[in-house]
Amino acid sequence: MSNGGLLEKALEQQPDGEGEVTGAVVVADVASPDGSGFMSAPMKQGAGLALVALVLSWLLANPKVQSDYAFAGLVPILIFAGSFYLVWNAMERKQTAVIAVVYILLAASPYAAMSLSSGEITITDADLSGDSAQIALKIRESGAIFGSSVDSADVTVTYEGSTVWESTISFAIDREDGYGKYGLISLTVSEWYQGNAADSAPYVVSVDVGGSADSMQLQSKHLQRTVDDVQSATAGAMGTESECSDSKDSCIIGVALKSWSGLDAMGDNPPGGLPHADYTVSATLFYGSTATIVYPTVTVVNGIAEWDSNNGEFGGGSAFVGEEGSELPMPGSVDSFELNTKYIPIEDWVVSDYGCYHFTAEVTQESPWSDSSVVSFTSYYDYTEEGGETGGDPTNEAWTSTTNCD
């Protein structure tokens, strides 16, 4: 159209100065309708989120991370979704299919790269069997599948940095779960156990399959089996009036026994629990050199304590020990609400004279958990009469802890 076009005529009809402003507005609107575009703020935010999601995807593509934190993979997916929405809106929702394909490729790239890379193994789990006899290693592979080219694995166990066991065993990645394919290696703890695991004395297992190797520090609680601290204690069961002889107001009608076996603790604290340890406990209450109460030998296997109850004379004959602590109750035949256990009545004692008693608990373990040496502890108690200070007969009895029987 010529210089006499409609736009020119419209501008000529505006008051002075208004035509110039209106033209500027038209030009601005054409250049950037609502602040959107390739370099707009939403586009930059979307690109930034996409970068964060991509980095997280690479970090979380590791098989061990996937196994330990199954739901962590949702985080980059959610971030990618937020990024997609910002970019999609910034481009006025054009090219939806292209944007979607780009995001799918970005999200899948770490996992695709893992599957195309050379085969590498990862020890993702080390689970203790129900009887605590074995530790099962779960081995996953990233990259090319080894397939039938590998049928064995070289396994090494170190303790305090020194090799304590090594072997070549049959191995194949022949199982599958929701996270992918994996293989299992079972290690028998008794074959390489050397002593209690600790921060300064860890057990580390290394596995080499077809030239790819990985290592894992085994859980300390699974490999603490040696009893190195024992404690023992008794508590007097009190009777009153009609339960007492010689018209006493209170008296000792029995004694409750218990012991602790486990890890050495600081100070006077009870030993730490050993839920997977195997050991035996022998406990005896002495009056001088006379055994007045000989408790049946208690056998503890994998946290379950068992003994001969002798038809209820010594409680129920079983208890759980180690998981919640190291305390092992040694009940008798009579319930005590006050002591919250069963006590051994005084009429069942071989000796029940006044004087000093000592209670000894001895723990023995077989190889490899220990060298069969005995770990023991002895506590001391005075059984006395009290009262009658004005020359009358004693009115009470007491069972009190003391330091020795000298």
Side-chain angles (χ1 to χ4, degrees), residues 322-397:
E323 192 65 45
E324 300 297 331
S326 62
E327 181 178 323
L328 172 65
M330 297 178 163
S333 58
V334 183
D335 281 304
S336 170
F337 177 78
E338 180 183 0
L339 299 177
N340 193 32
T341 189
K342 290 184 175 183
Y343 64 85
I344 300 172
I346 197 167
E347 55 265 27
D348 290 346
W349 301 10
V350 173
V351 177
S352 58
D353 296 336
Y354 298 116
C356 189
Y357 291 73
H358 63 277
F359 178 49
T360 299
E362 298 179 338
V363 171
T364 305
Q365 290 183 286
E366 300 298 327
S367 177
W369 319 121
S370 177
D371 58 2
S372 299
S373 60
V374 176
V375 183
S376 65
F377 184 88
T378 300
S379 51
Y380 301 87
Y381 306 88
D382 282 326
Y383 177 29
T384 58
E385 291 183 304
E386 297 179 340
E389 290 82 358
T390 59
D393 294 331
T395 57
N396 301 285
E397 292 180 351

Side-chain angles (χ1 to χ4, degrees), residues 88-368:
W88 184 50
N89 272 333
M91 298 184 69
E92 295 184 331
R93 304 185 181 183
K94 299 176 181 178
Q95 306 296 331
T96 300
V98 175
I99 299 173
V101 170
V102 170
Y103 271 83
I104 291 173
L105 292 175
L106 284 175
S109 61
Y111 303 95
M114 286 286 181
S115 65
L116 295 175
S117 64
S118 59
E120 294 184 359
I121 64 164
T122 303
I123 306 173
T124 59
D125 295 285
D127 299 321
L128 191 66
S129 62
D131 60 3
S132 299
Q134 295 181 318
I135 292 178
L137 304 179
K138 184 176 286 186
I139 314 293
R140 296 189 184 276
E141 179 195 21
S142 61
I145 303 301
F146 288 122
S148 59
S149 62
V150 173
D151 59 5
S152 64
D154 296 323
V155 184
T156 302
V157 178
T158 63
Y159 177 61
E160 295 184 294
S162 300
T163 299
V164 295
W165 184 83
E166 55 185 344
S167 180
T168 299
I169 60 179
S170 298
F171 174 75
I173 297 180
D174 53 1
R175 301 165 186 258
E176 190 169 1
D177 59 13
Y179 306 113
K181 294 184 177 181
Y182 67 94
L184 286 180
I185 293 177
S186 292
L187 305 177
T188 301
V189 177
S190 60
E191 292 181 352
W192 41 265
Y193 182 83
Q194 300 292 309
N196 287 327
D199 292 340
S200 59
Y203 284 89
V204 177
V205 60
S206 300
V207 178
D208 188 310
V209 178
S212 176
D214 192 25
S215 299
M216 171 182 279
Q217 181 172 318
L218 300 176
Q219 292 190 49
S220 293
K221 67 178 182 179
H222 292 168
L223 295 167
Q224 292 174 334
R225 310 289 182 95
T226 302
V227 174
D228 54 21
D229 190 20
V230 176
Q231 290 187 19
S232 64
T234 72
M238 301 300 298
T240 58
E241 298 177 348
S242 62
E243 298 174 293
C244 304
S245 60
D246 301 328
S247 301
K248 286 186 172 66
D249 294 331
S250 64
C251 59
I252 297 297
I253 56 176
V255 66
L257 312 175
K258 60 183 173 181
S259 68
W260 295 262
S261 306
L263 292 173
D264 188 15
M266 296 180 61
D268 296 328
N269 293 317
L274 294 175
H276 309 299
D278 299 344
Y279 55 92
T280 59
V281 184
S282 299
T284 306
L285 180 68
F286 291 91
Y287 178 73
S289 59
T290 302
T292 187
I293 299 176
V294 180
Y295 206 83
T297 299
V298 180
T299 301
V300 180
V301 177
N302 196 29
I304 300 177
E306 296 183 323
W307 62 93
D308 182 3
S309 69
N310 197 25
N311 295 320
E313 181 182 357
F314 299 104
S318 66
F320 293 101
V321 61
E323 192 65 45
E324 300 297 331
S326 62
E327 181 178 323
L328 172 65
M330 297 178 163
S333 58
V334 183
D335 281 304
S336 170
F337 177 78
E338 180 183 0
L339 299 177
N340 193 32
T341 189
K342 290 184 175 183
Y343 64 85
I344 300 172
I346 197 167
E347 55 265 27
D348 290 346
W349 301 10
V350 173
V351 177
S352 58
D353 296 336
Y354 298 116
C356 189
Y357 291 73
H358 63 277
F359 178 49
T360 299
E362 298 179 338
V363 171
T364 305
Q365 290 183 286
E366 300 298 327
S367 177

